[in-house]
Amino acid sequence: MFEYAPAPESRDVVDLKSSYGLFINGEFVDGSGTPFKTVNPATEETLAEVATASSDDVDRAVQAARKAFGVWSALPGAERAKYLFRIARIIQERARELAVLESLDNGKPIRESRDVDVPLVAAHFFYYAGWADKLEYAGFGSAKPLGVAGQVIPWNFPLLMLAWKIAPALACGNTVVLKPAETTPLTALLFADICRQADLPPGVVNIVTGAGETGAAVVAHPDVNKVAFTGSTEVGRIIARTVAGTGKKLTLELGGKAANIVFDDAAVDQAVEGIVNGIFFNQGHVCCAGSRLLVQESIQEELLAALKRRLGTLRLGDPLDKNTDIGAINSAEQLAKIRRLSDLGESEGAERWSPACELPGKGFWFPPTLFTGVAQSHSVAREEIFGPVLSVLTFRTPAEAVEKANNTPYGLSAGVWTEKGSRILWMADRLRAGVVWANTFNKFDPASPFGGFKESGFGREGGRHGLEAYLEV
Ligand code: NAI
Ligand code: MG
């Protein structure tokens, strides 16, 4: 093993305030609820106090968005595009600040926030800026925007989920009230500052912070025309019930339990990299994480030996260190959930393994973990753990791989590893998943639609498809 000198990214680039308000009608204002603290999950240090939006505050935000809708939707698409391009460029200019703040508030490694999250956020705004004046060409005729979009997002990709929600909404001429997750509100508030810097007309984007109650107030507000949610299947169900029969348009992007399927002809080293990326990227806090490894029985031993060797080289620790591969678990609650499900896996008879790995004394941490000898009925094969925990199952034939991969209430993504192109197509035809990656995993591009089957939700984000959710078609 190599020893590396620490290479921490400086925090100085971030101007952290002690308290943050809500962003309504282009201004930062106080909230009337009790403020909450957001912490750095790697140290448990309080980063800032953040306002809680009451339902009255949410109402003010929706009214601001309604008023702004008149102005914004009347602008020619080419004018809206200019604002979106400007936002995209400012995101690039302030990329380092955004990446450091994202890693501080979320716990993800700076290598990921810097090289994946923030570049994808900018790419998303650039991409949808390009569509704003081409909606007719995109096949939507003279379709109208919906009005005010109420958007509720989770903590695993705070900025990226914001971009997925806000960019297409604005491109189509809608205005937005967005509620970030209560453990990761800070980059959304920095984004609010970027909206001001870009001179976005007041009220086009409003950010209301708070916990589930604030989210529920956004979703239930009678003057919201469209609801977009990413998060747990449980809350997705509650939201679907609230919205049912109201005429609000709804998209839900929920949980997953994706299979990463490795055939005996796959290139083992590449497959190992894909497996690691599939489940240990962002500590496994990824709805499309490849949390079930399905390996063809004949290569199980060889593949697992290579995988274990590779896991021994992963570096866990300070998210701001540029060498770090695995950062902190986002919250004490999420850590408790990962521990509970992992303990359950062990008591149900699966075999648990982690590489030698020292966990920091403070903060929320979980080592990269493998479960072998997993049966389909085990909880670790069925439930979304949303952490750095991989369950290994085996198969003998392609048909068995398909059956096992589809044996889940979810259907967001899948990975297939094989030399054979015809087998990839055969598998992709049969896998009930919104995205199928071949000989790669977790590849994202704003031009490519993303979304699920079954309990993973409905609607697509990204691509031309992503516009449809924000237009009356
Ligand atoms: P959650 O679904 O409770 O939170 C997501 C967002 O919804 C947050 O902004 C939250 O404040 C808001 N929210 C909560 N209750 C609401 C309600 N009744 N009405 C409107 N908005 C509401 O997810 P949580 O509790 O943080 O994580 C629980 C589990 O969900 C995780 O362990 C993971 O398995 C899964 N999850 C899946 C995500 C995905 O991307 N598919 C993202 C986050 C969590
Ligand atoms: Mg936090």
Side-chain angles (χ1 to χ4, degrees):
M1 277 296 294
F2 297 98
E3 280 302 323
Y4 290 86
E9 175 70 76
S10 167
R11 287 174 60 147
D12 293 350
V13 62
V14 171
D15 173 24
L16 207 55
K17 296 176 184 51
S18 58
S19 68
Y20 288 84
L22 314 169
F23 186 66
I24 296 177
N25 205 29
E27 307 273 346
F28 286 99
V29 298
D30 291 339
S32 40
T34 312
F36 62 98
K37 291 183 166 62
T38 186
V39 305
N40 176 348
T43 59
E44 297 175 59
E45 153 207 14
T46 295
L47 293 169
E49 265 206 357
V50 180
T52 289
S54 66
S55 48
D56 284 348
D57 298 329
V58 168
D59 184 50
R60 274 193 294 152
V62 174
Q63 284 185 34
R66 172 61 55 198
K67 202 163 146 242
F69 177 65
V71 179
W72 185 247
S73 61
L75 282 181
E79 289 303 312
R80 291 199 303 273
K82 284 184 193 167
Y83 286 101
L84 292 172
F85 278 124
R86 203 180 292 162
I87 289 171
R89 283 195 303 268
I90 299 173
I91 288 168
Q92 288 184 320
E93 280 163 22
R94 299 180 70 174
R96 196 150 149 252
E97 190 182 347
L98 288 163
V100 171
L101 187 59
E102 192 78 319
S103 281
L104 280 175
D105 204 13
N106 168 281
K108 63 174 71 204
I110 187 73
R111 195 166 56 82
E112 293 178 5
S113 48
R114 180 195 64 198
D115 298 348
V116 183
D117 296 55
V118 174
L120 276 173
V121 169
H124 231 80
F125 278 97
F126 277 118
Y127 177 81
Y128 279 107
W131 275 128
D133 62 347
K134 302 175 195 71
L135 298 175
E136 201 176 328
Y137 166 81
F140 296 108
S142 53
K144 296 266 174 298
L146 300 167
V148 177
Q151 308 178 319
V152 178
I153 58 171
W155 41 263
N156 53 339
F157 293 94
L159 260 181
L160 187 58
M161 290 303 105
L162 173 150
W164 282 23
K165 299 276 180 286
I166 292 184
L170 298 196
C172 293
N174 304 274
T175 56
V176 163
V177 176
L178 176 128
K179 194 201 84 67
E182 54 271 39
T183 56
T184 55
L186 296 182
T187 46
L189 296 168
L190 184 51
F191 178 80
D193 188 50
I194 289 174
C195 291
R196 286 220 297 203
Q197 197 184 340
D199 271 330
L200 192 70
V204 172
V205 168
N206 304 273
I207 310 278
V208 290
T209 44
E213 252 179 75
T214 305
V218 171
V219 168
H221 196 289
D223 205 26
V224 160
N225 306 95
K226 148 88 191 176
V227 172
F229 172 76
T230 296
S232 63
T233 299
E234 189 194 351
V235 172
R237 279 204 195 96
I238 298 175
I239 290 177
R241 274 198 295 272
T242 307
V243 167
T246 62
K248 291 177 192 172
K249 203 161 163 173
L250 176 66
T251 40
L252 295 173
E253 205 260 275
L254 309 174
K257 191 75 187 172
N260 216 348
I261 306 162
V262 183
F263 285 94
D264 60 5
D265 63 342
V268 171
D269 289 341
Q270 276 98 313
V272 165
E273 289 310 305
I275 294 162
V276 168
N277 176 254
I279 186 63
F280 300 115
F281 173 63
N282 201 30
Q283 295 72 246
H285 300 327
V286 184
C287 47
C288 55
S291 52
R292 290 181 299 153
L293 171 61
L294 297 185
V295 53
Q296 197 154 18
E297 210 175 80
S298 50
I299 56 156
Q300 183 189 192
E301 247 173 71
E302 182 193 354
L303 186 80
L304 283 181
L307 182 59
K308 286 180 174 177
R309 266 199 310 277
R310 178 67 177 91
L311 295 193
T313 68
L314 291 177
R315 303 177 63 83
L316 176 148
D318 181 7
L320 286 188
D321 192 313
K322 293 164 204 149
N323 291 321
T324 294
D325 299 305
I326 300 189
I329 299 302
N330 180 249
S331 65
E333 291 73 38
Q334 188 59 27
L335 179 58
K337 177 181 174 183
I338 298 168
R339 284 193 178 139
R340 178 176 60 77
L341 285 169
S342 299
D343 293 348
L344 189 59
E346 236 177 328
S347 67
E348 287 177 347
E351 196 180 315
R352 178 175 181 165
W353 181 89
S354 289
C357 173
E358 214 176 293
L359 302 183
K362 272 226 162 137
F364 315 128
W365 304 94
F366 199 84
T369 299
L370 277 187
F371 277 101
T372 51
V374 176
Q376 296 227 69
S377 56
H378 287 161
S379 325
V380 288
R382 309 202 64 79
E383 286 190 43
E384 182 179 52
I385 301 175
F386 224 62
V389 181
L390 178 65
S391 298
V392 184
L393 295 95
T394 58
F395 68 91
R396 291 182 186 178
T397 63
E400 191 188 346
V402 168
E403 199 194 301
K404 285 190 167 166
N406 288 342
N407 184 6
T408 166
Y410 297 114
L412 207 48
S413 63
V416 179
W417 298 81
T418 173
E419 282 282 287
K420 253 197 178 140
S422 60
R423 181 177 283 156
I424 291 169
L425 297 176
W426 190 89
M427 293 291 290
D429 262 354
R430 288 161 179 79
L431 291 168
R432 301 273 297 155
V435 184
V436 178
W437 285 295
N439 295 321
T440 186
F441 208 90
N442 276 342
K443 277 259 182 289
F444 298 99
D445 188 290
S448 172
F450 183 88
F453 277 71
K454 302 188 278 187
E455 286 184 23
S456 290
F458 49 80
R460 293 291 178 265
E461 296 186 287
R464 201 182 59 81
H465 296 73
L467 296 165
E468 214 171 295
Y470 290 96
L471 289 167
E472 254 170 57
V473 281

